Amino acid sequence: MNNETAGYKRETIAPPKAFVNRDASQTRLIAGVSVPDGPLITAVIEYAQRLSEPYLFNHAMRSWLFAEAIGRIKGIDYDREVVAIGTILHDIGLTANVSGPNRFEVNGADAAMSFIRGKGLSDRRAQLIWDLVALNSTPSLALHKEPEVAVGTMGIGLDYGGFGVDALLTADVERILSAFPRLKMKQRFAEACCQLVTAKPETSYDNFLRDFGERFVPGYKTVSTVDLLMKAPFGE
């Protein structure tokens, strides 16, 4: 993949020699947005780029930049490195090299934890990253969690469905979209979801994959939570 056309230039940061917690003053500009910088975030970006198809990588980067913009506008106090890591890695469960028996968000959260293990993050910060990745597609829960989980989810939701886009300046949105083009994300993302539904339908019944299955996958049949209750093996 061409990093120039994706809006991310690896040469702007020297390759990390060691992983350390970032200094709060360490920042850089990406698509006009000031974001935290450091060896760990560089490594996370490169990891996401290795795993992801270009459209999905660009979605992750836009989501991060939108999260930063929204967090600043709303005046929310949050751990910017945690939001960076969790948001950039939030969809790696959709990639071919991340698999597991659980719904894709949980598989992705587990993979993110494996990647950051031993890289200087406290258990608490690592847990927030896991929560952000695992809950990002369930805003009815994520928006009521810690600020890091909520802000990351806001950025992801904005790029996915335009939620909250009116809070940002049109010029800022256009600059982010220009740096990280959508690359037919609507079609490509829907195809990825349908592939998961077809391959592992049992992981789709209690998340948004269900909607893609019902709309696009012939013969898809969900498991009803009502049936689970009514068929429970207990006398009344």
Side-chain angles (χ1 to χ4, degrees):
M1 176 182 176
N2 187 311
N3 294 321
E4 293 280 346
T5 58
Y8 172 64
K9 304 177 184 179
R10 288 182 184 171
E11 68 271 20
T12 56
I13 302 177
K17 295 181 179 179
F19 291 101
V20 293
N21 288 339
R22 68 170 175 83
D23 185 312
S25 64
Q26 216 175 341
T27 61
R28 63 179 291 205
L29 282 177
I30 300 180
V33 181
S34 176
V35 295
D37 191 12
L40 179 52
I41 291 177
T42 299
V44 165
I45 291 172
E46 293 178 346
Y47 176 58
Q49 191 171 33
R50 286 196 305 272
L51 289 177
S52 307
E53 293 186 44
Y55 86 90
L56 194 62
F57 173 74
N58 282 8
H59 165 56
M61 294 296 287
R62 289 193 308 269
S63 296
W64 174 33
L65 298 178
F66 285 141
E68 280 286 329
I70 292 172
R72 200 155 308 136
I73 287 172
K74 292 182 175 290
I76 300 172
D77 182 22
Y78 58 93
D79 185 324
R80 298 178 72 196
E81 187 175 53
V82 164
V83 169
I85 296 168
T87 308
I88 294 167
L89 298 182
H90 80 273
D91 266 344
I92 60 173
L94 284 173
T95 66
N97 290 321
V98 174
S99 61
N102 302 304
R103 52 190 281 180
F104 80 89
E105 302 97 329
V106 173
N107 293 334
D110 289 345
M113 287 287 277
S114 295
F115 182 76
I116 65 175
R117 188 171 292 119
K119 293 180 171 63
L121 294 171
S122 68
D123 290 346
R124 174 59 177 163
R125 299 176 80 212
Q127 182 63 58
L128 289 172
I129 291 167
W130 192 96
D131 288 351
L132 172 49
V133 177
L135 293 174
N136 81 86
S137 64
T138 314
S140 57
L141 296 177
L143 295 178
H144 298 281
K145 291 279 290 179
E146 293 84 355
E148 293 77 13
V149 180
V151 168
T153 300
M154 290 177 196
I156 294 163
L158 192 156
D159 194 62
Y160 180 87
F163 306 112
V165 70
D166 291 342
L168 304 185
L169 294 175
T170 300
D172 293 339
V173 174
E174 291 177 348
R175 188 161 47 244
I176 292 171
L177 291 171
S178 176
F180 298 95
R182 290 183 65 87
L183 304 178
K184 297 184 178 179
M185 177 183 157
K186 294 177 183 179
Q187 175 186 338
R188 300 297 306 280
F189 193 90
E191 289 171 352
C193 291
C194 290
Q195 288 171 4
L196 266 182
V197 169
T198 301
K200 297 195 296 183
E202 70 279 2
T203 68
S204 70
Y205 301 140
D206 64 344
N207 61 24
F208 78 94
L209 289 180
R210 177 177 184 150
D211 295 335
F212 286 92
E214 291 178 335
R215 179 74 63 88
F216 298 119
V217 179
Y220 176 74
K221 183 173 176 56
T222 63
V223 173
S224 168
T225 55
V226 175
D227 289 341
L228 294 176
L229 171 67
M230 296 303 176
K231 295 177 180 179
F234 308 108
E236 296 299 314

